[in-house]
């Protein structure tokens, strides 16, 4: 084992243009000997990145240079204090981009990003989305290149993706062309397909004239969604016959050992205190196995200014007093109607009443987390995502009375053991339909789920329809797909919809749906429909 680690250390340093002195090599091998095999490669990568940041005068690395770097890396990589449950706000989500030259996801430096980015950040936003979707598509069996096969549609049923510049550079008719790009309306009533190499005007009349159910495949096609367009190119126009979404990729395939591991390794792309993904964390697996009955109770549109809602919450807390959930996940809006300039005062008073209800149940106060995700009409900053949590001035008293309360961002992320949960409070289905080129005859939870999963994003919409702080767009990414995506809204519940190994959950409005809510069992992945009886 030691000889294998030594060989890997020497080879990796040489590939990065560095040479280890003998004593430095022996020291690093001895330190890496205690590292689990699944995190050996990322640990070695971290050491090399820190070495490369130093102002070295030669490629020779000695023991004096290496020792402080290894000590610092081991200290930062110690996850012993990580709990089984973690709340990750949107502004701490890791930022990563796909490097096509290295064919791997690169984590950007963890610097503090301002809310308002430069003009380059806006362009980079869509380029990063495209590159991640493109690499995912090209690794799919339908698009992966087959050896010794040169036909447009390969012998094994595969396809060849053409960039937009291939069409723009063609002087004659091109048939059976398949291209990946962003569907965008650059001019009123005229749609284009855009990728980093250029944009081409689309003729969708052939698509619309065919059976829409057969031509538009996979979900809701919105302005600024990434699509696969198939058709022919003639007279500087791409005549589209079929539109589809990029193929889905389960998280287990994205992170699997072997083929994709060299691209993604075990780096933590989700966020949280760990430096590596919790999927490979044995400590988390053991904690998960020891807590098979853990629960996360999910309620959306909890109107705290209505007496009836507080009465139902009292019944809810009483019911769970003897089996405290890990977390009560409460999604806004927290007020049933706007209160103008008095809204902060009204919200503060509502939280005071809620704290009094919780205080009646010491078990919940001690063992359960109370996580609040603001809605579009809640007090706070303008409705741009990611949206900060409720202001400290409003929540200070509640946080003092309920120590395990967390007023986090919208969207946010949760970790329980090895399970990853993404939470968004937004009327996603309605927004998608308003910006859609084509909407299926029946919009269901599965339709919305496929649209989001294929685009790897919570809101694949124009920035005018879904404003986003440009530098923090990765907080809305769905790649790799988590275990659960919670989409709170003010409408009816669509229940749970599994897509590509990920469950999309639509709890619906707590009030409108007769005080119904969802219970997520993270150990098993089960979701239970629950309701507070009307006669209580």
């Amino acid at each position: 084992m030691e000889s294998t680690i030594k060989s890997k250390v020497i080879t990796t340093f040489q590939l990065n243009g560095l040479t280890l002195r003998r004593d430095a090599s022996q020291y690093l091998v001895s330190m890496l000997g205690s590292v689990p095999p699944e995190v050996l490669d990322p640990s070695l990568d971290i050491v090399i990145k820190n070495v490369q940041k130093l102002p070295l005068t030669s490629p020779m690395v000695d023991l004096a240079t290496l020792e402080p770097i290894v000590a610092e890396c081991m200290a930062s990589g110690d996850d012993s204090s990580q709990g089984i449950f973690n709340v990750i706000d949107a502004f701490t989500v890791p930022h990563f981009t796909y490097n096509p030259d290295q064919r791997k996801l690169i984590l950007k430096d963890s610097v503090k990003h301002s809310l308002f980015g430069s003009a380059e950040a806006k362009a980079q936003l869509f380029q990063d989305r495209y590159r991640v979707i493109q690499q995912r598509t090209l690794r799919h069996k339908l698009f992966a290149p087959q050896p010794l096969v040169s036909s447009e549609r390969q012998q094994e049923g595969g396809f060849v993706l053409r960039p937009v510049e291939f069409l723009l550079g063609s002087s004659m008719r091109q048939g059976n062309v398949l291209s990946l790009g962003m569907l965008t309306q650059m001019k009123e009533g005229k749609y284009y397909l855009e990728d980093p190499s250029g944009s081409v005007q689309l003729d969708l009349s052939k698509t619309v004239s065919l059976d829409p159910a057969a031509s538009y495949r996979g979900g809701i096609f919105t302005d600024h969604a990434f699509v696969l367009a198939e058709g022919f190119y003639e007279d500087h126009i791409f005549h589209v016959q079929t539109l589809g979404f990029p193929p889905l990729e389960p998280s287990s395939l994205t992170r699997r050992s072997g083929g994709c591991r060299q691209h993604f390794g075990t780096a933590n792309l989700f966020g949280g205190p760990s430096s590596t993904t919790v999927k490979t964390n044995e400590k988390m697996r053991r904690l998960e196995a020891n807590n098979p009955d853990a629960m996360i109770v999910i309620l959306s549109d909890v109107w705290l200014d209505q007496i009836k809602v507080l009465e139902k919450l009292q019944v809810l807390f009483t019911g769970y007093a003897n089996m405290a959930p890990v977390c009560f996940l409460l999604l806004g809006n927290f007020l049933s109607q706007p209160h103008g300039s008095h809204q902060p005062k009204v919200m503060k008073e509502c939280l005071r009443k809620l704290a009094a209800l919780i205080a009646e149940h010491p078990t919940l106060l001690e063992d359960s987390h109370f996580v609040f995700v603001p809605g579009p009409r809640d007090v706070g900053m303008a409705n741009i995502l990611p949206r900060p949590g409720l202001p400290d001035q409003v929540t200070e008293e509640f946080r003092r009375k309920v120590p395990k309360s967390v007023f986090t961002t919208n969207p946010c992320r949760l970790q329980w053991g090895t399970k990853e949960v993404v939470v968004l409070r937004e009327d996603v289905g309605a927004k998608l339909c308003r910006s859609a080129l084509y909407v299926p005859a029946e919009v269901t939870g599965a339709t919305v789920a496929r649209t989001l999963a294929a685009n790897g994003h919570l809101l694949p919409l124009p920035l005018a329809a879904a404003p986003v702080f440009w530098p923090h767009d990765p907080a809305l990414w769905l790649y790799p797909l988590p275990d659960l995506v919670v989409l709170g809204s003010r409408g009816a519940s669509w229940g749970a919809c599994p897509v590509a190994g990920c469950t999309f959950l639509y709890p619906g409005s707590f009030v409108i749906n007769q005080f119904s809510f969802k219970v997520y069992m993270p150990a098993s992945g089960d979701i239970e429909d629950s309701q507070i009886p009307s006669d209580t």
Side-chain angles (χ1 to χ4, degrees):
M1 180 66 179
E2 183 176 334
S3 61
T4 303
I5 297 176
K6 182 177 180 180
S7 175
K8 182 181 289 290
V9 166
I10 294 174
T11 301
T12 305
F13 268 78
Q14 288 176 344
L15 289 174
N16 286 274
L18 300 169
T19 303
L20 282 174
R21 290 191 181 276
R22 185 175 180 180
D23 54 352
S25 175
Q26 292 175 343
Y27 169 73
L28 186 55
V29 169
S30 65
M31 298 303 292
L32 292 176
S34 59
V35 173
E38 65 269 12
V39 297
L40 176 60
D41 288 343
S43 299
L44 190 53
D45 288 342
I46 293 173
V47 172
I48 289 176
K49 286 179 182 178
N50 282 274
V51 171
Q52 291 174 333
K53 292 178 182 179
L54 298 177
L56 300 175
T57 57
S58 75
M60 190 68 67
V61 181
D62 56 22
L63 181 60
T65 302
L66 194 63
E67 274 187 322
I69 290 176
V70 174
E72 181 181 352
C73 291
M74 291 188 67
S76 62
D78 181 14
D79 299 325
S80 59
S81 61
Q82 179 185 6
I84 191 172
F85 180 74
N86 298 285
V87 181
I88 305 159
D89 76 71
F91 298 109
T92 63
V93 170
H95 293 198
F96 59 91
T97 184
Y98 182 77
N99 188 313
D101 297 325
Q102 300 182 29
R103 295 186 178 181
K104 64 191 301 184
L105 285 174
I106 305 296
L107 278 170
K108 297 181 180 179
D109 293 335
S110 57
V111 297
K112 187 174 180 61
H113 296 272
S114 63
L115 287 182
F116 305 101
S118 61
E120 290 80 3
K122 181 180 181 181
Q124 192 68 35
L125 178 158
F126 294 107
Q127 290 178 17
D128 285 345
R129 287 192 202 176
Y130 172 82
R131 289 195 181 102
V132 169
I133 294 174
Q134 182 195 38
Q135 61 83 29
R136 188 187 79 197
T137 303
L138 290 174
R139 286 191 290 101
H140 191 272
K141 61 182 179 181
L142 289 178
F143 300 94
Q146 302 290 333
L148 305 179
V149 178
S150 58
S151 62
E152 284 292 299
R153 186 164 292 191
Q154 300 174 5
Q155 293 178 2
E156 297 297 326
F159 298 85
V160 176
L161 278 184
R162 297 296 188 187
V164 169
E165 65 179 354
F166 171 80
L167 301 176
L168 298 178
S170 301
S171 58
M172 59 183 67
R173 188 182 192 276
Q174 295 288 338
N176 295 325
V177 177
L178 183 64
S179 188
L180 170 68
M182 185 173 70
L183 191 63
T184 178
Q185 191 175 184
M186 291 186 174
K187 298 179 182 178
E188 182 67 30
K190 292 185 178 180
Y191 282 92
Y192 290 75
L193 189 71
E194 183 177 5
D195 71 8
S197 68
S199 60
V200 61
Q201 185 176 341
L202 301 179
D203 174 15
L204 298 172
S205 61
K206 300 288 192 305
T207 314
V208 176
S209 64
L210 298 172
D211 177 16
S215 302
Y216 296 91
R217 298 174 181 170
I220 304 173
F221 290 83
T222 64
D223 193 357
H224 278 57
F226 285 91
V227 298
L228 287 170
E230 184 179 25
F232 64 92
Y233 179 74
E234 189 175 33
D235 297 331
H236 308 292
I237 293 179
F238 189 10
H239 301 266
V240 179
Q241 295 171 315
T242 302
L243 275 181
F245 279 125
L248 303 177
E249 183 178 87
S251 173
S252 57
L253 181 60
T254 306
R255 292 189 170 108
R256 79 179 191 270
S257 300
C260 292
R261 188 164 177 175
Q262 60 181 322
H263 302 301
F264 309 111
T266 57
N268 181 8
L269 305 176
F270 186 77
S274 176
S275 60
T276 59
T277 173
V278 292
K279 298 295 184 182
T280 60
N281 193 316
E282 290 300 324
K283 174 190 172 185
M284 291 295 106
R285 292 184 186 278
R286 290 194 299 271
L287 290 173
E288 201 173 81
N290 293 333
N291 293 271
D293 299 324
M295 297 176 290
I296 296 178
V297 179
I298 304 170
L299 302 87
S300 180
D301 252 24
V302 185
W303 296 343
L304 299 176
D305 58 343
Q306 290 198 356
I307 296 177
K308 190 67 174 178
V309 172
L310 293 176
E311 291 175 350
K312 295 298 182 180
L313 289 178
Q314 170 72 344
V315 175
L316 179 74
F317 295 151
T318 302
Y320 281 107
N322 295 324
M323 46 179 181
V326 171
C327 166
F328 287 94
L329 178 60
L330 307 176
L331 281 63
N333 300 308
F334 295 114
L335 299 178
S336 60
Q337 58 186 350
H339 292 270
S341 59
H342 297 289
Q343 188 148 335
K345 182 180 179 180
V346 173
M347 186 70 218
K348 192 172 182 178
E349 179 60 29
C350 290
L351 287 175
R352 183 180 294 116
K353 295 178 181 178
L354 180 62
L357 292 181
I358 298 172
E360 295 176 10
H361 308 283
T363 305
L364 300 182
L365 195 64
E366 182 178 351
D367 298 334
S368 295
H369 294 80
F370 291 84
V371 178
F372 295 80
V373 179
R377 296 203 310 266
D378 282 321
V379 60
M381 292 184 63
N383 193 25
I384 303 176
L385 298 178
R387 177 183 176 139
L390 297 177
D392 290 345
Q393 295 88 338
V394 173
T395 64
E396 181 181 6
E397 181 181 349
F398 185 91
R399 286 184 284 112
R400 188 171 62 251
K401 294 180 178 179
V402 185
K404 284 194 171 183
S405 60
V406 181
F407 291 85
T408 187
T409 58
N410 181 30
C412 69
R413 300 182 176 191
L414 311 178
Q415 279 181 348
W416 186 90
T418 64
K419 297 299 190 298
E420 297 174 341
V421 180
V422 172
V423 182
L424 174 68
R425 172 55 182 92
E426 189 62 79
D427 297 317
V428 177
K431 283 201 168 187
L432 290 177
C433 291
R434 282 197 293 268
S435 297
L437 164 67
Y438 165 74
V439 180
E442 182 182 6
V443 177
T444 65
T447 311
V448 174
R450 285 195 298 269
T451 303
L452 304 187
N455 278 270
H457 199 274
L458 286 169
L459 287 171
L461 295 168
L463 294 178
V468 174
F469 289 113
W470 303 337
H472 294 281
D473 184 63
L476 280 76
W477 287 14
L478 293 175
Y479 189 78
L481 283 172
D483 298 283
L484 178 70
V485 177
V486 179
L487 298 173
S489 70
R490 60 184 175 183
S493 170
W494 278 334
C497 303
V499 175
C502 171
T503 300
F504 285 76
L505 177 63
Y506 308 86
S509 171
F510 180 60
V511 178
I512 294 176
N513 292 285
Q514 303 299 314
F515 304 105
S516 63
F517 58 97
K518 307 296 180 184
V519 180
Y520 175 55
M521 317 289 285
S524 62
D526 295 335
I527 295 173
E528 297 180 355
D529 296 325
S530 301
Q531 186 175 17
I532 301 174
S534 57
D535 57 350
T536 57

